[in-house]
Amino acid sequence: MKIPPDIHERVADLAAEIVNAGQAGDNRSSWALYEELRSYCEAVASEGRDHPFLWETLADFTADDQAAIALYQRALPLAVAAGADEYSASIHLAVAERYANLDAAQAAHDHALQADAFARTTDDLPLRQAISQFLLDHSPPPSEG
């Protein structure tokens, strides 16, 4: 799924600025840039140019796991509708990681399995390896019979 060049450039620039501000310990600038990214995502979506890259990137920079999950959930139907399996896999993996942070093991495992199903249709070996590693690291305990 191709990202329109103007969207990619603006989001990548803002993301780099957020990272730089964070590394410099400038929380005020980091927050302002995050808000600028959020506003940009909303503006692009309201123009009818919505793209999962917007929401996945915004979610990646969202500290609160619940809020991030909601943003990833906004990206997911866009990726699925476009048949963008790499996006869908990546988003499901990110959701799984956030659920793991929240100690919601079953939800984390379920999303990792969905990520794996999407990733199997792609040639993205690093993504497939990351999902497999997550599943190994977060496998549910064996049930007692």
Side-chain angles (χ1 to χ4, degrees), residues 65-66 69 95-109 138:
D65 289 323
Q66 291 288 2
I69 289 168
V95 171
E97 291 167 342
R98 296 299 184 120
Y99 274 124
N101 292 344
L102 296 169
D103 294 324
Q106 189 60 54
H109 186 73
H138 296 87

Side-chain angles (χ1 to χ4, degrees), residues 104-122:
Q106 189 60 54
H109 186 73
D110 291 347
H111 279 279
L113 288 175
Q114 290 177 25
D116 188 55
F118 280 110
R120 288 178 185 271
T121 68
T122 76

